[in-house]
Amino acid sequence: QVQLMESGGDLVQAGDSLRLSCTASGRTFSNFAMGWFRQDPGSVRIFVAAVSNNGDSTYYADSAKGRFTISRGNTKNTVYLQMNHLKPEDTAVYYCAADPRYGSNWSAGIVDYWGKGTLVTVSA
């Protein structure tokens, strides 16, 4: 089992930046690809970004490209999502996820482990 704990969600204004963090425990962190999803009220959870287990490869949903950056610190068992130039439409609950695979499973939302989410609210 992998336990994931997100933090960093907040109420910010449009144009602001925010960094989300997710700390993992329970299994060897470097064995897992890590990523982020978001979920709007009444909607499904959708893919935002993923990073490979050693951090040398990343990929993003089109909506996140150019504004969001995913990174990881394997010595700290933590994955980050740096979000810049935030927009009101970025408002959502953001979920951290972990999976041993790094591929199309991420954009399909097929991952083994989920955190409980952290709320990001962007006001206009």
Side-chain angles (χ1 to χ4, degrees):
Q1 286 287 345
V2 176
Q3 292 79 44
L4 302 172
M5 179 65 71
E6 302 97 335
S7 61
D10 204 350
L11 169 63
V12 296
Q13 294 186 334
D16 285 352
S17 297
L18 200 61
R19 188 176 81 159
L20 305 182
S21 300
C22 171
T23 301
S25 61
R27 300 279 292 274
T28 302
F29 184 67
S30 58
N31 286 346
F32 292 85
M34 301 294 296
W36 292 91
F37 291 76
R38 57 171 286 170
Q39 187 169 20
D40 302 335
S43 183
V44 299
R45 205 169 291 185
I46 60 174
F47 171 73
V48 175
V51 58
S52 61
N53 64 324
N54 60 7
D56 65 351
S57 178
T58 59
Y59 77 105
Y60 298 89
D62 287 344
S63 60
K65 289 178 183 177
R67 294 191 302 126
F68 294 2
T69 302
I70 189 170
S71 62
R72 64 189 294 161
N74 282 358
T75 58
K76 296 183 177 181
N77 288 1
T78 302
V79 61
Y80 306 96
L81 185 68
Q82 177 68 41
M83 302 187 294
N84 297 328
H85 306 296
L86 283 161
K87 306 174 183 179
E89 51 264 42
D90 294 320
T91 295
V93 177
Y94 284 75
Y95 293 89
C96 176
D99 194 274
R101 300 160 292 182
Y102 179 67
S104 59
N105 61 298
W106 283 91
S107 54
I110 303 172
V111 295
D112 284 350
Y113 302 101
W114 295 95
K116 294 184 177 181
T118 186
L119 176 62
V120 173
T121 304
V122 185
S123 63

